[in-house]
Structure formats: C-alpha cells, structure tokens
Amino acid sequence: MARPLRTGIGLLLSLLAASTSPVPGQGRETGRWQPAGSLSVGRYAPAGVLLPDGRCLIAGGYSFETNRTHRSSELFDPGQDPDKAWNSGPEMALDRNFPVAVPLPGGGALFSAGFRVRTGTTASTEHLQLTPLRFRTGEPLQQERELFSVTRLHDGRFLLAGGFSTRRGRTLDSAEIFDPLKGSFVLTEGPLLHARFGHTGVLLPDGKVLIVGGKVLGTNDDVLPAELYDPATGRFTETGKLQVGRDRCTAWPVQMAVAPEKEKRDFVLIAGGSAKEGGTLPARRCELYDPVAGSFRPGPELLTDRMAHTATPLAGSRVLLVGGWSGSENRTTPRAELWSPTEQRFLPAGTLQVGRHDHVSILLKGGRVLVAGGKEAPARAGVETPTLCELWSPE
C-alpha cells in the first residue's frame, strides 16, 4: 500500500512491546497444517479468489526484497503435489498491492484499487474472465482507495467504503456502489460519518451494512463510533461505539445467547485489531454488536491477540482466524484459532510454519483453507515476504 501508510504501520508495529504472554488455548486443538508449495515471488497484501474449477488465483502484492508491486498472478491446483501445485497465471494490466477481489456472477472476479509503488493509490479495476483466463481493464472507481471495505449487498451489488488515498494525502469518508450488471461505480447519496481505513463491513440480516473499526492516518486516532449503511436511502447513520480501538479487525455474524437473555439471537462478533492506547493487547477481548439495541458489549476472548489477520468462514458457521501481528508475541503470529458456534468460544487450530500478516486465506472445495503471501516480522534470514504457502485441513 502507500509508502506513508506502510511507514505508519511499520512504526506502529515496531512500537508494540511484548508486555504479557499469550494466554494458552483451552480445549482440544482442531485441524492440521501442511506445506502447500511456494509462490515464485513474495507477495505482501495480494488478492486471491477461488475459481469455479477448484483452483485458486493469487494476484499482485508487494515484495519488500525488491521494492516492487507485482502485475503477475499465480495459480494453485489443490489436486497436485505441493512441488507442482503452483503455476504462472495471467498478468494484470497494472501492478498493485492491497487490491480487493470479489467474485462476480458467472464465475469471474473484480480486482479493484490498491497501491502502486511508482504512482501511489489507484482507482483502476480489472475483471478476471474465465474463458480464456485473463484480466481486462474495467471502469475505474469514483475515487482511488486502499485498505477500504467491500461488502456484498442482498441485491448483488457491492458497497465500497472508506480507505486511504496517497494522492489526496488523507483518510477517506467517501463510499460508492458497484453494480456488477452495469459494471459501474456510483457514489452513495451520503458519505461516511467518520473517515476511516483498516475497518471492516458486515451485512446484517435486515440488509443494512455495519461499518466498524479503523483509524485515521496522521493523527493515528481510532475510530470508535460504528455506522450503518442503508441501501434504501444510500446514507450512513451512527450506531453505537466500540469499547477499544480496532484497526485491522475482522467481524462476522453470530448467533449467541448472552446474559441476561436465555435464547440465542443475532449479533456481530468483532475480533482483534490494534488500539492506539495499547497495540493489540486490549483487543484479545472481542466485542459483540447488538443490532436491536444498536450498541456494543463485551464478547468472548481470542486465544491470541492479533491484527491484520484473516477470518475465513467455514461450514457450520465456524470461522478460521490465521496469523496477524501480535503485540504480546511481538511478532507476526503463526498461531491459528477456530470460532466454534456450538461452544461459543475460540479453539486452538494449530501453528503455521510461517507467521504472517496481510496474507490471503481462501476456502477450497472440500473444506481446506489455502494460506499464501503476507509479511513476516521480524524478518527470517532477511526475508520479509515469505513464499512458503500452507494448507489447513479440518479434522
């Protein structure tokens, strides 16, 4: 992403000190990890999608070793042996890292925006078409952005919100709607109430989108107020306030029975992220957003504090959390954990060979999860962008 933002995150990570030890996970360990071959180049903050034929495509990313953002892509075939699983894929028109990839009707995907080393944040988009497998340039976003949220609406359109622009030199409060049928982007009727980057968006059962977390670059201020986007009006309204800052958190819908209520009902679980007041350490405690009350309450605890991790939805409403920066470990953690909706807590899910943040995790057909790319800190043998990939298999 943008050089100033990389510098800001790098400074933040270097200042996070190890003040406590990780709390060991309770209960059985679930799943196992195994090597899944290696990328041809290191890819920090690439984008990835699952293709209809079961292969994965990983595109873009940044190499700390060469100071380059990539145009290239690579294809992973889960049916091959690890040493033969990766092959070259089609090239994008533009190099970029921190793009966002979303599946489109018909099996293709949209790769949008991100950061380019030579020119900064971009508004450009590319469509991955399947036959033949190639990228073609699409209509650009209304505004260039990186580290923004993308949320699919009930009607198949997508909400793109916030982010950061190196060209404008600021955190964005703008949002836009992408219509896959028209292939166009239109600004929402109203902007975000709070400019933010590094946040997340979650679709609620009523069709509204919860926007939560993030920071403002420069001041490094946490954005504690959350907001709701209403597709019926095209506008945002404020709804509740986080208890701690959560830059680079993850969030997903859950059904939980929370005291004093006895029966399960819908919440949004917000996990991890970093807080200005103390790195990732305060954020081992998750928060629950109550859509009925429009407020936040304490939730379950992560086994490991983490930011810039991935959260991959699995069958049975389980969610696999992988990697991220951990303040308590003072490194990118190799630990994974699994949200169990039946036990309503996190379970240990094994340890990767490589700790990483800003990587991709893709659910494969059959339930395995491919993890590739990202950054390892501190660097191992001078390498910050690892090429080794790994597979998690459920038990």
Side-chain angles (χ1 to χ4, degrees):
M1 63 180 293
R3 183 177 296 276
L5 193 50
R6 284 206 310 271
T7 301
I9 290 178
L11 179 61
L12 170 65
L13 298 184
S14 67
L15 292 175
L16 295 178
S19 59
T20 64
S21 299
V23 174
Q26 301 296 317
R28 67 190 183 282
E29 186 167 295
T30 180
R32 61 185 178 87
W33 290 95
Q34 63 188 84
S38 295
L39 297 166
S40 63
V41 293
R43 298 180 183 273
Y44 168 60
V49 292
L50 178 68
L51 303 179
D53 63 8
R55 295 180 299 167
C56 293
L57 182 140
I58 310 294
Y62 170 83
S63 169
F64 284 92
E65 288 67 46
T66 62
N67 189 30
R68 291 181 53 197
T69 41
H70 302 302
R71 290 177 52 194
S72 63
S73 73
E74 303 187 48
L75 290 164
F76 175 77
D77 186 342
Q80 295 289 335
D81 293 334
D83 59 346
K84 299 178 181 178
W86 289 97
N87 290 286
S88 297
E91 283 201 339
M92 295 188 291
L94 299 177
D95 57 286
R96 63 184 84 204
N97 77 328
F98 282 103
V100 175
V102 294
L104 297 178
L110 173 74
F111 287 69
S112 59
F115 172 78
R116 306 182 66 205
V117 164
R118 289 171 295 177
T119 58
T121 312
T122 179
S124 65
T125 69
E126 305 193 35
H127 291 262
L128 177 68
Q129 65 178 41
L130 299 179
T131 309
L133 189 64
R134 67 176 184 178
F135 288 96
R136 59 179 178 84
T137 303
E139 183 175 327
L141 279 67
Q142 292 290 323
Q143 290 189 353
E144 70 281 352
R145 59 185 81 228
E146 52 184 299
L147 275 174
F148 56 103
S149 65
V150 178
T151 311
R152 187 182 186 277
L153 306 178
H154 279 323
D155 62 8
R157 297 179 301 156
F158 293 87
L159 171 69
L160 292 71
F164 181 80
S165 167
T166 57
R167 296 186 181 184
R168 300 169 194 265
R170 62 182 176 88
T171 306
L172 302 175
D173 64 358
S174 65
E176 47 194 293
I177 296 292
F178 171 66
D179 187 334
L181 299 180
K182 298 178 180 178
S184 60
F185 295 86
V186 178
L187 288 173
T188 55
E189 289 294 322
L192 288 163
L193 303 180
H194 302 275
R196 63 182 83 210
F197 76 91
H199 55 284
T200 190
V202 180
L203 181 66
L204 302 180
D206 65 2
K208 295 180 181 179
V209 177
L210 174 69
I211 302 294
V212 63
K215 282 190 180 294
V216 176
L217 191 65
T219 63
N220 205 33
D221 287 338
D222 300 315
V223 185
L224 296 178
E227 41 196 303
L228 290 173
Y229 173 75
D230 187 347
T233 64
R235 296 186 177 276
F236 294 85
T237 56
E238 197 161 302
T239 176
K241 183 179 292 187
L242 288 168
Q243 298 174 350
V244 298
R246 295 183 183 272
D247 172 33
R248 317 299 301 285
C249 61
T250 53
W252 59 90
V254 295
Q255 282 199 328
M256 295 190 69
V258 179
E261 299 93 342
K262 295 291 181 82
E263 60 183 30
K264 287 186 178 181
R265 57 187 184 87
D266 293 326
F267 292 91
V268 174
L269 192 154
I270 300 95
S274 71
K276 181 179 179 181
E277 60 270 22
T280 60
L281 300 182
R284 194 166 68 84
R285 168 69 69 179
C286 298
E287 296 186 49
L288 292 169
Y289 171 73
D290 184 341
V292 176
S295 61
F296 292 85
R297 64 175 73 185
E301 285 198 349
L302 292 170
L303 305 180
T304 301
D305 52 287
R306 59 184 81 225
M307 67 170 287
H309 54 283
T310 54
T312 306
L314 307 176
S317 299
R318 299 177 303 160
V319 179
L320 178 69
L321 273 62
V322 176
W325 172 265
S326 168
S328 66
E329 297 180 21
N330 199 29
R331 62 170 179 163
T332 48
T333 182
R335 300 174 189 270
E337 53 193 288
L338 186 74
W339 167 250
S340 170
T342 56
E343 299 188 34
Q344 297 199 347
R345 63 183 177 128
F346 291 94
L347 303 174
T351 303
L352 295 86
Q353 293 186 33
V354 176
R356 61 185 90 211
H357 68 80
D358 290 305
H359 50 282
V360 294
S361 296
I362 301 175
L363 178 63
L364 307 178
K365 295 180 178 179
R368 296 187 295 172
V369 176
L370 172 69
V371 175
K375 175 182 178 179
E376 185 174 25
R380 186 183 307 192
V383 177
E384 293 184 80
T385 36
T387 58
L388 176 68
C389 303
E390 304 184 54
L391 276 174
W392 179 84
S393 301
E395 293 178 340

